[in-house]
């Protein structure tokens, strides 16, 4: 029987990353004795396109499947164009969050032969089975088989969604060889203990996804296998502490597995932090936990407009404890350009989070993601945004384009002076305290640097200049 060669390709944001979706697909296929059809190539955004093109060409697959995200669409679109020029018989499949949200668009625009919509483990195996059952393959005129979850060019009217895979039944994504590869190449090791989120923030692509948890006993049994790989583990659960008691049980097991060189990255909601969980994270070995805490905004009107719930006044003391503790490296997320957020409201949120002195403060901008509840409401809310990835906000009723551009410049200054180094932290905290408005410090800094990057000496000169300006104002 002919077994087509199917190449799964990831183009990751950074070379330290390894796309877990590909390994999850391969392990799911292995259970059905289909893994021999699958091959995996991983690249990073900075990989020369010529290299990707040549390696895929030399491998000579029948089908190439790409995982599309907002950050890699442009590169993959260009690569697919070249692949079609040099391998006209090649079948192209795209999947992943970006393809799932705009299936028909990518089917036509790329063009692709099929789009895998939604979670792929079961539907991809169904496709491989259907391919393996064909007596021969791949004439240029063939269409791909139609299976649930796949939007197939030429058979669009036959599309039907696939049921969600049983998360309890999914295999552990890393076999012995993959574990060795991840360890030897010092890759981040991604792990998924749950999918979906119980919250409903309208800007988020997970907002409509019901929370599904992998059984706790299975997670506890898999953690030692992850720890054995070593390095930095990264839970991709949208909200690690969505179920706080479960988060405590997992954290206890992670603590038991401690050894030098190991750390765990978790995405955390500030609003589900029982003291027991905070205590465990605070008392861990230095920087054993890396917590990314999604605050997003402190402006009540903005929180209401995007359907985000939670009481920051109650959450803040716990977040402060985590920032002050040695056991956790704390990264706070803040979003500019939310509907309902004003210039004053954003500046207040920024100042308050800045003065907590987190290890890292992500000064992000709203993205109106296709498929998110906000995408449908954007015109009604007066949000203007870029029509192509990353769908970034360009204007809101409260923030004109000129102001958002000014914020982008402030963000560059902030990253150069605050996030990139801790050398100026105390000076910056003092400057912000004196002015009562941390954002204005970086707006002033942005005027001194405009769009240029900064080396350490230039950064130090800007901080000195800001201090002199403050001093002169006080005289
Ligand atoms: S932003 Fe975070 S908390 Fe809100 S729906 Fe998305 S994953 Fe859940």
């Amino acid at each position: 029987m002919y077994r087509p060669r199917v190449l799964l390709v990831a183009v990751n944001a950074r070379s330290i990353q390894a796309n877990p979706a590909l390994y999850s697909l391969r392990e799911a296929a292995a259970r059905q004795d289909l893994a021999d059809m699958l091959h995996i190539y991983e690249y990073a955004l900075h990989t020369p396109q010529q290299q990707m093109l040549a390696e895929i060409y030399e491998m000579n697959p029948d089908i190439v499947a790409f995982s599309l995200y907002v950050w890699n669409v442009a590169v993959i679109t260009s690569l697919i164009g070249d692949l079609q020029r040099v391998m006209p018989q090649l079948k192209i499949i795209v999947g992943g969050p970006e393809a799932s949200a705009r299936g028909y668009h990518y089917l036509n625009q790329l063009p692709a032969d099929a789009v895998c919509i939604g979670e792929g483990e079961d539907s991809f195996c169904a496709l491989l089975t259907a391919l393996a059952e064909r007596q021969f393959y791949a004439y240029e005129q063939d269409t791909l088989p139609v299976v649930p979850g796949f939007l197939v060019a030429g058979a669009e009217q036959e599309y039907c969604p696939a049921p969600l895979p049983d998360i309890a039944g999914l295999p552990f994504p890393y076999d012995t060889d993959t574990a060795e590869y991840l360890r030897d190449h010092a890759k981040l090791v991604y792990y998924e203990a749950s999918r979906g989120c119980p919250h409903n923030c309208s800007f988020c692509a997970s907002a409509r996804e019901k929370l599904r948890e992998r059984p706790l006993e299975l997670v506890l049994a898999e953690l030692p296998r992850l720890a054995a790989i070593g390095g930095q583990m990264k839970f991709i659960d949208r909200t690690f502490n969505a179920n706080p008691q479960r988060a405590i049980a997992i954290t206890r097991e992670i603590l038991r597995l401690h050894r030098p060189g190991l750390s765990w990255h978790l995405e955390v909601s500030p609003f589900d932090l029982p003291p027991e969980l905070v205590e465990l994270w605070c008392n861990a070995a230095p920087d054993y936990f890396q917590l990314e805490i999604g605050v997003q905004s402190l402006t009540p009107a903005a929180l209401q407009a995007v359907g985000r719930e939670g009481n920051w006044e109650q959450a803040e003391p716990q977040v402060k404890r985590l920032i002050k503790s040695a056991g956790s490296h704390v990264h706070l997320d803040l979003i500019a350009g939310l509907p309902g957020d004003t210039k004053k409201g954003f500046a207040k949120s920024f100042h308050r989070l800045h003065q907590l002195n987190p290890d890292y403060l992500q000064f992000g901008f709203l993205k109106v993601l296709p498929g998110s509840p906000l995408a449908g409401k954007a015109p009604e809310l007066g949000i203007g945004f870029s029509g192509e990835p990353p769908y970034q906000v360009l204007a809101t009723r409260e923030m004109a384009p000129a102001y958002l551009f000014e914020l982008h410049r402030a963000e560059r200054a902030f990253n150069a002076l605050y996030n990139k180094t801790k050398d100026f932290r105390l000076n910056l905290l003092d400057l912000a305290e004196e002015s009562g408005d941390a954002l204005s410090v970086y707006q002033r800094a942005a005027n001194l640097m405009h769009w240029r990057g900064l080396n350490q000496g230039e950064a130090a000169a800007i901080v000195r200049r800001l201090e002199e300006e403050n001093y002169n104002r006080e005289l």
Side-chain angles (χ1 to χ4, degrees):
M1 191 192 296
Y2 184 75
R3 305 278 269 188
R5 288 149 66 85
V6 181
L7 177 61
L8 306 177
V9 177
V11 179
N12 302 311
R14 296 186 294 146
S15 47
I16 193 176
Q17 294 170 325
N19 186 328
L22 275 49
Y23 298 99
S24 187
L25 287 184
R26 190 167 67 182
E27 286 309 295
R31 282 207 174 154
Q32 299 185 34
D33 212 11
L34 297 163
D36 62 306
M37 295 160 73
L38 291 182
H39 306 265
I40 292 179
Y41 281 4
E42 290 215 67
Y43 298 107
L45 279 181
H46 60 74
T47 310
Q49 185 173 322
Q50 186 59 45
Q51 180 190 336
M52 297 189 257
L53 180 66
E55 288 180 359
I56 295 171
Y57 179 85
E58 283 156 10
M59 194 263 173
N60 193 25
D62 298 297
I63 299 172
V64 178
F66 291 98
S67 193
L68 284 196
Y69 297 85
V70 288
W71 67 81
N72 67 12
V73 172
V75 169
I76 291 178
T77 301
S78 170
L79 180 59
I80 287 176
D82 282 354
L83 281 169
Q84 286 175 325
R85 283 174 204 110
V86 296
M87 304 175 77
Q89 76 290 355
L90 182 69
K91 299 288 183 214
I92 303 280
I93 296 175
V94 290
E98 175 64 11
S100 296
R102 298 178 81 191
Y104 284 94
H105 169 80
Y106 287 113
L107 195 68
N108 298 319
Q109 193 226 345
L110 284 172
D113 294 284
V115 179
C116 177
I117 295 185
E119 298 176 24
E121 286 90 352
D122 290 350
S123 47
F124 215 88
C125 288
L127 180 83
L128 294 178
T129 304
L131 287 168
E133 283 168 357
R134 282 186 172 178
Q135 295 305 305
F136 52 86
Y137 184 79
Y139 294 114
E140 204 176 328
Q141 66 272 24
D142 280 352
T143 56
L144 288 169
V146 178
V147 295
F150 272 80
L151 180 62
V152 177
E156 290 87 342
Q157 68 290 354
E158 292 177 53
Y159 171 74
C160 76
L164 291 172
D166 171 15
I167 192 168
L170 294 178
F172 183 71
Y174 307 120
D175 62 12
T176 312
D177 288 347
T178 308
E180 205 176 298
Y181 160 77
L182 296 172
R183 185 168 41 246
D184 291 351
H185 292 80
K187 298 280 187 185
L188 295 176
V189 182
Y190 291 93
Y191 180 72
E192 194 172 37
S194 67
R195 288 182 179 174
C197 179
H199 303 293
N200 211 6
C201 313
S202 64
F203 55 81
C204 177
S206 296
R208 287 186 179 135
E209 287 178 22
K210 187 171 170 281
L211 179 68
R212 291 141 61 218
E213 293 171 332
R214 205 156 162 76
L216 181 58
E217 59 280 10
L218 193 55
V219 174
L220 297 181
E222 288 175 344
L223 291 174
R225 296 177 70 183
L226 281 178
I229 299 173
Q232 190 178 348
M233 311 293 126
K234 199 161 177 176
F235 272 66
I236 49 179
D237 301 36
R238 298 312 310 261
T239 305
F240 175 78
N241 55 336
N243 175 343
Q245 289 313 311
R246 178 181 154 95
I248 289 171
I250 296 174
T251 297
R252 286 194 183 285
E253 178 60 10
I254 289 175
L255 285 166
R256 196 187 65 75
L257 294 166
H258 172 261
R259 65 183 158 80
L262 201 60
S263 65
W264 302 76
H265 180 111
L266 314 171
E267 289 198 24
V268 169
S269 160
F271 307 121
D272 298 300
L273 291 174
E276 186 184 350
L277 185 57
V278 173
E279 198 69 22
L280 291 173
W281 286 336
C282 285
N283 293 330
D287 287 346
Y288 188 46
F289 289 100
Q290 308 209 343
L291 305 177
E292 183 168 344
I293 303 180
V295 181
Q296 321 305 10
S297 176
L298 304 180
T299 307
L303 296 171
Q304 196 184 357
V306 297
R308 204 169 150 81
E309 290 163 357
N311 183 331
W312 177 250
E313 300 305 325
Q314 281 174 12
E316 192 180 50
Q318 304 284 44
V319 173
K320 266 189 186 162
R321 279 193 64 205
L322 288 166
I323 291 172
K324 287 199 173 122
S325 80
S328 301
H329 182 277
V330 176
H331 172 142
L332 300 183
D333 289 342
L334 180 67
I335 301 178
L338 288 173
D341 205 0
T342 56
K343 294 179 189 178
K344 206 167 148 195
F346 178 74
K348 266 176 84 176
S349 301
F350 182 82
H351 182 77
R352 192 152 168 185
L353 298 191
H354 183 273
Q355 295 310 88
L356 295 179
N357 191 18
D359 294 292
Y360 190 96
L361 175 55
Q362 185 169 313
F363 182 154
F365 289 81
L366 176 68
K367 293 178 180 61
V368 183
L369 298 172
S372 66
L374 190 63
K377 291 196 289 184
E380 171 197 331
L381 291 168
I383 304 171
F385 61 99
S386 173
E388 292 302 321
Y391 311 106
Q392 198 148 276
V393 65
L394 297 171
T396 66
R397 285 206 180 111
E398 299 79 11
M399 294 185 186
Y403 184 70
L404 284 165
F405 297 148
E406 194 182 321
L407 284 186
H408 277 284
R409 282 195 284 273
E411 177 228 4
R412 281 177 64 84
F414 170 69
N415 283 330
L417 299 175
Y418 183 99
N419 279 333
K420 198 172 151 199
T421 166
K422 287 198 172 178
D423 290 0
F424 314 116
R425 282 290 169 89
L426 293 178
N427 313 58
L428 294 165
L429 289 166
D430 282 351
L431 280 163
E433 200 59 43
E434 284 163 17
S435 64
D437 177 6
L439 184 61
S440 69
V441 171
Y442 299 101
Q443 286 170 315
R444 282 162 52 207
N447 290 336
L448 298 173
M449 65 181 272
H450 200 54
W451 288 104
R452 267 186 329 111
L454 293 177
N455 63 32
Q456 190 76 354
E458 290 167 330
I462 287 183
V463 173
R464 268 200 309 278
R465 177 99 178 259
L466 294 170
E467 287 175 331
E468 280 161 20
E469 282 177 13
N470 265 28
Y471 179 74
N472 290 336
R473 273 187 206 165
E474 280 168 20
L475 286 179

